[in-house]
Amino acid sequence: MSTLPWLNPTRAQALQQHLAERILIIDGAMGTMIQRHELDEAAYRGERFAHGYDRAYARSEHVHGDGCGCARDQRGNNDLLTLTQPDIIRSIHSQYLDAGADLIETNTFNSTTVSLADYGLEHLARELNEAGARLARAACDAAEAATPDRPRFVIGVLGPTSRTASLSPDVNRPGFRAITFDELRVAYREAADGLIDGGADVLMVETVFDTLNAKAALFAIEEAFDARGARLPVMISGTITDASGRTLSGQTAEAFWYSLRHSQPLAIGLNCALGAKDLRAHVDVLAQVADANVSTHPNAGLPNAFGGYDETPEDMAAVLGEFAKAGLLNLVGGCCGTTPAHIAAIAQAVAAYPPRVLPALERAEAGDVDKDLAA
C-alpha cells in the first residue's frame, strides 16, 4: 500500500468521516439513462466527428480514405458523449445527485486505449478521462454548494477493458493471450492520470471479471500516485458472472478479496452481472472477511429477453434495505437498468440503518504467504 499523503486531505478525510456516519449512496446506470435519449449516429459524432474523423486531431502524415478506420460507426460509444454531448452527461449526473447520490461515477467505463480501439479512437483516452472527471466534478460541486454540510464525491471509473489477461479468447490456443499485463498497465496509467487531473476524489477499478486485469490497474494507479507524490482513495468492485458464484477468471468473492487485499483499498465490493438478490450471499462473504468498507451496486435484476431490466425501484430497495439491516453495507448504488428513481428508493430504504462496522482482522506481515484461494 502507498504511504504517500492524500492529494486532497480535506476531501479524503470528509469521505472517511461520512462513511463512518452512514451508508453512502453511489449513483446508478449511465448507459440506461443515455438510451432514453435514443441518439443516432450523428448525435454520437457531434460536430467534432461529423465528417468521419476527429477534426481536433489531424495528423499531416495521415491521408483519409477507404479502410483507414476513421469512419468507424460510433453509435453506442457512450464515453464519446462526454465530448460530443456534454450537456446530456452533465444532466444525468445532476439527476442522480438530486435523487440522493453521494458519489457520482465518471462516464469513463471504456475510456482506455484498449477499449477505445474498438472505435478507432485510442488517441482520446487521456482527454476522455480528464473531461469525464471534470463534468462529474462540476455537477458535484454544484450540488455541494446547495448543501455544504453534505459533500458529494467524484468516483473516477476504470472499467475492465474488452480484453482478459488471464484467459485465452481462442479455445484452440489455451496459452494465447490477447493482451499482456504491461499493455494493460500502460493503458490504465494514462486513464488514471486523466481522472486525477480532472478532479476525481476516488479511483474505482470496477466490474472486475479478471483479477489480473485489476492488478494491472492497481499497479498503474500506484505509479500515478508515486509520480505525483500523493494519492487518492481507491475502490475495487468485482463482478460475479453466473450462478457459480465466481468471477470469469474463477475466483470466489473471498478469493477475490484476498488476492487484492494487499492494496488496502478504501472499499471492496461487487457490481453488475446479477441482481441484488443473487448477490446477497457473495456480499455477505465480503462483509465477513474484508477489513475495508463493503460496497455493492447491482443490476436491476437479470436482463430479460429484450435486453431490458425488470426490477422496479421498490423491488431493489426492498432487497438492498435487507442488506443494510443485516449490517453488510457501507456503500450502495445501482448498475445496469437502474435510474434516478431506483437510487432515490434505495437511499430511502437504507437511511434508517447504520453503516457496517469494519472488523478488526489480523493483517499478514510482509513475507507471509498470501492467502489466495484462486486455485
Side-chain angles (χ1 to χ4, degrees), residues 62-151:
H62 179 71
V63 178
H64 297 291
D66 293 340
C68 73
C70 292
R72 206 167 298 179
D73 190 354
Q74 298 300 322
R75 188 176 183 183
N77 185 2
N78 289 344
D79 292 19
L80 186 61
L81 299 175
T82 295
L83 302 180
T84 59
Q85 302 287 346
D87 289 345
I88 290 177
I89 304 305
R90 188 183 299 109
S91 172
I92 292 170
H93 288 325
S94 296
Q95 289 176 64
Y96 279 123
L97 289 163
D98 291 343
D102 299 293
L103 301 103
I104 293 294
E105 299 172 78
T106 56
N107 182 39
T108 56
F109 188 81
N110 289 307
S111 294
T112 57
T113 53
V114 178
S115 293
L116 288 169
D118 295 339
Y119 296 98
L121 296 177
E122 300 96 316
H123 68 282
L124 292 179
R126 175 66 179 257
E127 183 182 0
L128 282 172
N129 281 282
E130 185 169 346
R134 291 194 189 284
L135 279 178
R137 173 83 278 145
C140 285
D141 287 349
E144 194 170 324
T147 54
D149 59 329
R150 187 180 166 202

Side-chain angles (χ1 to χ4, degrees), residues 143-202:
E144 194 170 324
T147 54
D149 59 329
R150 187 180 166 202
R152 309 312 205 284
F153 303 95
V154 175
I155 300 177
V157 168
L158 295 161
T161 80
S162 52
R163 306 289 178 88
T164 169
S166 290
L167 305 171
S168 172
D170 185 346
V171 295
N172 297 313
R173 293 189 294 163
F176 173 72
R177 297 293 180 270
I179 198 163
T180 67
F181 182 95
D182 279 338
E183 288 170 335
L184 284 167
R185 176 185 61 81
V186 170
Y188 277 125
R189 171 65 191 278
E190 181 177 25
D193 280 331
L195 291 169
I196 296 169
D197 286 345
D201 294 301
V202 183

Side-chain angles (χ1 to χ4, degrees), residues 22 37 54 69 86-87 106 166 175 180 182 211 239 263 274 279 324 336 364:
R22 59 190 178 88
H37 290 270
D54 183 355
D87 289 345
T106 56
S166 290
T180 67
D182 279 338
T211 305
T239 186
S263 65
L274 307 176
L279 274 184
C336 303

Side-chain angles (χ1 to χ4, degrees), residues 9 30 85 112 213 220 247 274 328 351:
M30 175 62 71
Q85 302 287 346
T112 57
N213 285 38
T247 64
L274 307 176
L328 305 182

Side-chain angles (χ1 to χ4, degrees), residues 318-344:
V319 176
L320 290 170
E322 288 298 318
F323 281 36
K325 184 178 181 180
L328 305 182
L329 297 178
N330 301 101
L331 303 106
V332 63
C335 202
C336 303
T338 59
T339 65
H342 287 83
I343 297 308

